[in-house]
Amino acid sequence: PDLILMDINLPGMSGLDAMLALKKQVSMKDVPIAAITANAIPDQEQLGLSAGFNRYITKPIDVSHLQVDINELLYPD
């Protein structure tokens, strides 16, 4: 994939654990992963970004902001 939008609250495995597992795969290490979550606490956002998420997008999702995030992740230059 070119981009992954990862929900943080997944059944059976957290989105954070799933992101870390994906980043360990050589073929996935450069694929940007954006966290999608209802957890809008600033400390959680910083933890997610520090752990390796490329973006931390909180719900409810503003579609126009999401489009900007997606474009920036897909076309960083």
Side-chain angles (χ1 to χ4, degrees):
D2 295 319
L3 170 67
I4 297 171
L5 301 176
M6 177 77 69
D7 196 331
I8 295 291
N9 295 316
L10 299 172
M13 175 186 272
S14 75
L16 176 64
D17 290 337
M19 181 270 301
L20 293 172
L22 286 170
K23 291 289 187 178
K24 288 181 182 177
Q25 297 181 29
V26 173
S27 64
M28 298 296 291
K29 69 179 179 78
D30 294 325
V31 175
I33 302 177
I36 305 288
T37 183
N39 192 348
I41 299 169
D43 289 347
Q44 292 300 311
E45 178 177 358
Q46 188 56 47
L47 284 172
L49 294 171
S50 295
F53 283 109
N54 300 91
R55 287 286 196 288
Y56 194 90
I57 301 166
T58 57
K59 299 174 187 177
I61 294 173
D62 179 315
V63 174
S64 62
H65 286 119
L66 179 61
Q67 288 174 313
V68 169
D69 285 330
I70 288 172
N71 284 330
E72 288 176 354
L73 291 168
L74 290 175
Y75 312 107
D77 295 328

